[in-house]
């Protein structure tokens, strides 16, 4: 079956612009996670959803970052007033339920010029 | 100090060698994950452990909860095993906390 998909695969934007990154989880998976991986680093946790609600958003670095999952399936990570330091690969993962094995998407590579 | 430490950071091996990657963590966890990431590729989950030992093909993962330590073993290593191996832990119902990874290169 289809795995986790993320769009776009690459996004180049200018400093100060707004971007949206999309994640389509595996059908039926109730838990969805966003992570960020900077070059040469391990991924770091941003936010996780159980259903439609953000169960833990403690990893979001500041209020420029926001994520939604209005129908409990697709999620969008939104970044306002992008900064060069936001450049990274943004990874999405989903799991059947909280605590189950997580399946990762291919990531969106964001470059802020 | 990172909550999740891996060693070694880099590892090279000849094809056929037995490989061990170690992971130590400093917090109470509900589960530990071993993940594989190929250059330019996505992350693949290898194991999720909360106790004992799991085996899948040539891969074996063990965890000692009391010592807060896990190992990933690869038997009869092959060049296609070359990748970054990442240890990640789950605390209660949060997202994963990742180690910095171990870069493995297996030469023919």
């Amino acid at each position: 079956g289809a795995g986790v998909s993320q769009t776009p695969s690459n996004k180049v934007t200018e400093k100060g612009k707004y971007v949206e990154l999309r994640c389509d989880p595996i059908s039926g998976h109730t838990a969805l996670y966003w992570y960020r991986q900077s070059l040469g680093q391990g991924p770091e946790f941003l936010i996780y959803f159980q259903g439609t609600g953000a169960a833990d958003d403690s990893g979001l670095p500041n209020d420029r970052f926001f994520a939604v999952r209005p129908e409990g399936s697709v999620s969008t990570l939104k970044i306002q007033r992008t900064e060069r330091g936001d450049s990274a690969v943004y990874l999405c993962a989903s799991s059947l339920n909280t605590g189950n094995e997580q399946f990762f998407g291919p990531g969106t590579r964001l470059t802020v010029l | 100090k990172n909550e999740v430490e891996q060693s070694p950071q880099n590892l090279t091996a000849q094809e056929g060698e037995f490989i061990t990657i170690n992971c130590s963590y400093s917090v109470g966890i509900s589960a530990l994950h071993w993940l594989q990431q190929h250059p330019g590729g996505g992350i693949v989950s290898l194991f999720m452990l909360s106790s004992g030992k799991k085996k899948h093909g040539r891969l074996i993962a063990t965890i000692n909860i009391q010592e807060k330590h896990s190992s990933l073993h690869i038997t009869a290593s092959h060049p296609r095993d070359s990748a970054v191996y990442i240890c990640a832990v789950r605390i209660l119902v949060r997202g994963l906390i990742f180690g910095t990874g171990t870069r493995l290169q297996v030469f023919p």
Side-chain angles (χ1 to χ4, degrees), chain B:
Chain B
K1 189 180 189 309
N2 292 333
E3 291 164 298
V4 182
E5 299 270 0
Q6 284 185 240
S7 63
Q9 286 188 305
N10 292 281
L11 183 56
T12 58
Q14 290 295 124
E15 183 173 358
E17 286 185 6
F18 180 83
I19 287 162
T20 296
I21 300 171
N22 295 299
C23 175
S24 297
Y25 52 92
S26 58
V27 294
I29 67 170
S30 55
L32 182 142
H33 297 244
W34 280 103
L35 308 162
Q36 180 193 58
Q37 187 171 33
H38 283 278
I43 292 176
V44 174
S45 176
L46 300 175
F47 295 103
M48 185 176 77
L49 293 163
S50 55
S51 64
K53 176 179 174 178
K54 286 190 176 181
K55 183 176 189 293
H56 184 243
R58 295 180 295 106
L59 302 178
I60 303 166
T62 63
I63 188 169
N64 185 318
I65 296 294
Q66 287 73 28
E67 295 185 4
K68 293 186 167 61
H69 181 269
S70 175
S71 293
L72 175 68
H73 305 286
I74 305 175
T75 61
S77 59
H78 189 276
R80 65 174 174 266
D81 297 327
S82 299
V84 175
Y85 291 84
I86 304 172
C87 171
V89 301
R90 182 180 184 85
I91 300 172
L92 296 176
V93 291
R94 293 200 60 202
L96 297 177
I97 301 173
F98 294 79
T100 52
T102 294
R103 183 174 301 277
L104 171 66
Q105 288 185 293
V106 182
F107 293 98

